[in-house]
PDB file of all heavy atoms in Angstrom:
ATOM      1  N   CYS A 116     -62.814  66.537 -94.054  1.00 96.00           N
ATOM      2  CA  CYS A 116     -62.130  65.459 -93.415  1.00 96.00           C
ATOM      3  C   CYS A 116     -61.636  64.382 -94.440  1.00 96.00           C
ATOM      4  O   CYS A 116     -60.475  63.886 -94.255  1.00 96.00           O
ATOM      5  CB  CYS A 116     -63.010  64.749 -92.493  1.00 96.00           C
ATOM      6  SG  CYS A 116     -63.496  65.815 -91.058  1.00 96.00           S
ATOM      7  N   GLN A 118     -60.689  65.015 -97.536  1.00 96.00           N
ATOM      8  CA  GLN A 118     -59.622  65.606 -98.197  1.00 96.00           C
ATOM      9  C   GLN A 118     -58.332  65.643 -97.373  1.00 96.00           C
ATOM     10  O   GLN A 118     -57.215  65.564 -97.882  1.00 96.00           O
ATOM     11  CB  GLN A 118     -59.996  67.076 -98.704  1.00 96.00           C
ATOM     12  CG  GLN A 118     -61.064  67.040 -99.792  1.00 96.00           C
ATOM     13  CD  GLN A 118     -61.623  68.412-100.069  1.00 96.00           C
ATOM     14  OE1 GLN A 118     -61.323  69.412 -99.333  1.00 96.00           O
ATOM     15  NE2 GLN A 118     -62.452  68.508-101.066  1.00 96.00           N
ATOM     16  N   ASN A 145     -60.310  60.946 -79.989  1.00 96.00           N
ATOM     17  CA  ASN A 145     -61.202  59.782 -80.301  1.00 96.00           C
ATOM     18  C   ASN A 145     -61.708  59.188 -78.953  1.00 96.00           C
ATOM     19  O   ASN A 145     -61.061  58.496 -78.221  1.00 96.00           O
ATOM     20  CB  ASN A 145     -60.299  58.725 -81.024  1.00 96.00           C
ATOM     21  CG  ASN A 145     -59.960  59.079 -82.380  1.00 96.00           C
ATOM     22  OD1 ASN A 145     -60.832  59.081 -83.271  1.00 96.00           O
ATOM     23  ND2 ASN A 145     -58.822  59.687 -82.602  1.00 96.00           N
ATOM     24  N   SER A 149     -65.261  55.207 -79.883  1.00 96.00           N
ATOM     25  CA  SER A 149     -64.847  55.464 -81.255  1.00 96.00           C
ATOM     26  C   SER A 149     -64.527  54.289 -81.989  1.00 96.00           C
ATOM     27  O   SER A 149     -63.899  53.320 -81.423  1.00 96.00           O
ATOM     28  CB  SER A 149     -63.626  56.385 -81.191  1.00 96.00           C
ATOM     29  OG  SER A 149     -63.983  57.670 -80.728  1.00 96.00           O
ATOM     30  N   THR A 159     -67.969  64.433 -81.080  1.00 93.00           N
ATOM     31  CA  THR A 159     -68.543  65.070 -79.865  1.00 93.00           C
ATOM     32  C   THR A 159     -67.593  64.770 -78.689  1.00 93.00           C
ATOM     33  O   THR A 159     -67.235  63.652 -78.410  1.00 93.00           O
ATOM     34  CB  THR A 159     -69.954  64.500 -79.591  1.00 93.00           C
ATOM     35  OG1 THR A 159     -70.791  64.726 -80.720  1.00 93.00           O
ATOM     36  CG2 THR A 159     -70.539  65.299 -78.390  1.00 93.00           C
ATOM     37  N   THR A 161     -66.629  64.444 -74.736  1.00 91.00           N
ATOM     38  CA  THR A 161     -67.322  64.105 -73.538  1.00 91.00           C
ATOM     39  C   THR A 161     -67.128  65.232 -72.542  1.00 91.00           C
ATOM     40  O   THR A 161     -66.258  66.126 -72.673  1.00 91.00           O
ATOM     41  CB  THR A 161     -66.646  62.757 -72.828  1.00 91.00           C
ATOM     42  OG1 THR A 161     -65.239  63.042 -72.529  1.00 91.00           O
ATOM     43  CG2 THR A 161     -66.754  61.611 -73.807  1.00 91.00           C
ATOM     44  N   LYS A 162     -67.967  65.215 -71.529  1.00 93.00           N
ATOM     45  CA  LYS A 162     -67.911  66.244 -70.489  1.00 93.00           C
ATOM     46  C   LYS A 162     -66.543  66.188 -69.823  1.00 93.00           C
ATOM     47  O   LYS A 162     -65.930  67.277 -69.559  1.00 93.00           O
ATOM     48  CB  LYS A 162     -68.964  66.056 -69.427  1.00 93.00           C
ATOM     49  CG  LYS A 162     -69.017  67.087 -68.365  1.00 93.00           C
ATOM     50  CD  LYS A 162     -70.185  66.965 -67.440  1.00 93.00           C
ATOM     51  CE  LYS A 162     -70.139  68.110 -66.440  1.00 93.00           C
ATOM     52  NZ  LYS A 162     -71.352  68.026 -65.529  1.00 93.00           N
ATOM     53  N   THR A 181     -68.055  71.700 -77.947  1.00 94.00           N
ATOM     54  CA  THR A 181     -68.560  70.412 -77.742  1.00 94.00           C
ATOM     55  C   THR A 181     -68.192  69.447 -78.867  1.00 94.00           C
ATOM     56  O   THR A 181     -68.450  68.242 -78.608  1.00 94.00           O
ATOM     57  CB  THR A 181     -70.159  70.481 -77.660  1.00 94.00           C
ATOM     58  OG1 THR A 181     -70.653  71.112 -78.811  1.00 94.00           O
ATOM     59  CG2 THR A 181     -70.501  71.285 -76.415  1.00 94.00           C
ATOM     60  N   GLY A 187     -58.841  60.161 -87.125  1.00 97.00           N
ATOM     61  CA  GLY A 187     -59.387  59.001 -86.628  1.00 97.00           C
ATOM     62  C   GLY A 187     -58.344  58.031 -86.123  1.00 97.00           C
ATOM     63  O   GLY A 187     -57.156  58.117 -86.420  1.00 97.00           O
ATOM     64  N   GLY A 203     -48.591  62.663 -64.942  1.00 98.00           N
ATOM     65  CA  GLY A 203     -49.519  62.900 -63.876  1.00 98.00           C
ATOM     66  C   GLY A 203     -50.390  61.663 -63.439  1.00 98.00           C
ATOM     67  O   GLY A 203     -50.546  60.835 -64.272  1.00 98.00           O
ATOM     68  N   PRO A 223     -59.866  53.934 -76.168  1.00 98.00           N
ATOM     69  CA  PRO A 223     -59.341  54.053 -77.616  1.00 98.00           C
ATOM     70  C   PRO A 223     -57.866  53.999 -77.794  1.00 98.00           C
ATOM     71  O   PRO A 223     -57.287  53.407 -78.742  1.00 98.00           O
ATOM     72  CB  PRO A 223     -59.792  55.395 -78.001  1.00 98.00           C
ATOM     73  CG  PRO A 223     -61.032  55.635 -77.179  1.00 98.00           C
ATOM     74  CD  PRO A 223     -60.694  55.005 -75.923  1.00 98.00           C
ATOM     75  N   GLU A 253     -36.697  47.204 -67.467  1.00 95.00           N
ATOM     76  CA  GLU A 253     -35.631  46.219 -67.806  1.00 95.00           C
ATOM     77  C   GLU A 253     -35.549  46.149 -69.302  1.00 95.00           C
ATOM     78  O   GLU A 253     -34.302  46.065 -69.815  1.00 95.00           O
ATOM     79  CB  GLU A 253     -35.994  44.905 -67.210  1.00 95.00           C
ATOM     80  CG  GLU A 253     -34.938  43.801 -67.469  1.00 95.00           C
ATOM     81  CD  GLU A 253     -35.313  42.419 -66.823  1.00 95.00           C
ATOM     82  OE1 GLU A 253     -36.104  42.475 -65.748  1.00 95.00           O
ATOM     83  OE2 GLU A 253     -34.980  41.483 -67.256  1.00 95.00           O
ATOM     84  N   THR A 254     -36.594  46.001 -70.011  1.00 92.00           N
ATOM     85  CA  THR A 254     -36.445  45.838 -71.471  1.00 92.00           C
ATOM     86  C   THR A 254     -35.967  47.085 -72.129  1.00 92.00           C
ATOM     87  O   THR A 254     -35.186  46.983 -73.093  1.00 92.00           O
ATOM     88  CB  THR A 254     -37.798  45.395 -72.116  1.00 92.00           C
ATOM     89  OG1 THR A 254     -38.831  46.340 -71.863  1.00 92.00           O
ATOM     90  CG2 THR A 254     -38.233  44.055 -71.651  1.00 92.00           C
TER      91      THR A 254
END
Side-chain angles (χ1 to χ4, degrees):
C116 293
Q118 290 169 355
N145 291 280
S149 292
T159 302
T161 64
K162 183 176 182 180
T181 56
E253 182 180 330
T254 58

